[in-house]
Amino acid sequence: MLNKDVTHPNMRRRIANPRIILLDCPLEYKKGESQTYIEISKESQWKDFQDEEEKQVREMCERIMEFKPDLIFTEKGISDYAQSILLQGNITAIRRVRKSDNNRIARAIGATIVNRTEDLRESDIGTKCGLFHIEKMGDEYFTFLTKCTTPKACTILLRGPSKDVLNEIDRNLADAMSVARNVVFNPFLAPGGGATEMAISVRLQQRAKTVQGIESWPFKAVADAMEVIPRTLVQNAGGNAIRVLTELRAKHASGEHSWGINGDTGKVEDMKKYGLYESASVKIQTLKTAVE
């Protein structure tokens, strides 16, 4: 999905199974890199310069039309003359697409971004889009490329009553996608609800009893710090922190390491039955950062 509309009002806004070309070059007269001055003594010379500009644009458009595309996306501009030529060829054009959007389109429709029209090949054309259509939402037009056969990219559309709500939804969605990504790359889960922290705390307390002198202090300090998470969960749920933590500590001391805090009731519960798990990679990184 793009926040774009067609360059010419008479171009098609709905195309089924379109042939799509992605460009990273302008479809307009190429200006010189250095500043030049031209002296014209006759009116015909001015017309010759204009004809030469139109010739360059026409050659680029004709090169594109050889492949019979239905839709063109370009990251640069499209001149009015190029628009008229493309319109005559029944080709829809969208200009000034962002680089990131163009890359996503290429992954979704199986096309290749071309830097020069002379380099176009049949294999560069995207044919995996099932439907192209433009819809108006509010006061703006949005371009949709849907029903793609094997897409490698997609757009998630978020709508809300205010920017603050949208920003919050965006952050939550980014967190959820990051968790899903971590599970894919490191498919290990740890019990949630403070169960993991309490299990570590109990083991560290047991370890501290086997160490003599002040060397046991770091074990006890980290063990006490680990209990902050389940204690906070109990307090947020309105439970009795001392009583619930004592019960939870007893559960872990007896080897039931999957027990944690139910955030709704503020009581201890088996996280396996409750179904609350967290990504192990996030837990490991959190502990590493805290210790460092």
Side-chain angles (χ1 to χ4, degrees), residues 91-108:
I91 300 173
T92 298
I94 296 178
R95 62 185 172 186
R96 295 188 176 90
V97 178
R98 289 186 299 182
K99 183 70 175 179
S100 57
D101 290 336
N102 214 18
N103 290 332
R104 293 191 186 98
I105 294 173
R107 293 174 60 85

Side-chain angles (χ1 to χ4, degrees), residues 24-40:
D24 186 16
C25 61
L27 295 180
E28 54 191 359
Y29 171 67
K30 185 181 295 185
K31 298 179 181 178
E33 295 183 359
S34 58
Q35 188 174 5
T36 56
Y37 294 93
I38 301 173
E39 293 185 2
I40 297 175

Side-chain angles (χ1 to χ4, degrees), residues 213-225:
I214 62 173
E215 293 181 0
S216 64
W217 294 0
F219 293 95
K220 294 179 181 179
V222 176
D224 293 339

Side-chain angles (χ1 to χ4, degrees), residues 1-6 13 98 133-144 157-159 163 166:
M1 189 200 77
L2 309 173
N3 188 7
K4 292 288 183 180
D5 192 14
V6 294
R13 283 190 168 89
R98 289 186 299 182
H133 61 104
I134 294 179
E135 304 290 343
K136 187 176 183 181
M137 296 183 182
D139 297 331
E140 299 184 25
Y141 288 92
F142 290 86
T143 298
F144 292 87
L157 178 61
L158 302 178
R159 303 182 70 179
K163 288 185 177 180
L166 279 175

Side-chain angles (χ1 to χ4, degrees), residues 198-199 201-203 205-206 223-224 227-228 230-231 241-257 259 261 268:
M198 181 56 75
S201 176
V202 170
R203 291 290 294 171
Q205 290 285 8
Q206 295 173 356
D224 293 339
E227 291 190 0
V228 170
R231 183 184 296 112
I242 298 176
R243 183 180 303 166
V244 174
L245 281 180
T246 302
E247 183 181 356
L248 181 61
R249 199 179 294 114
K251 288 283 186 183
H252 282 265
S254 61
E256 300 180 70
H257 300 303
W259 284 71
I261 305 298
V268 296

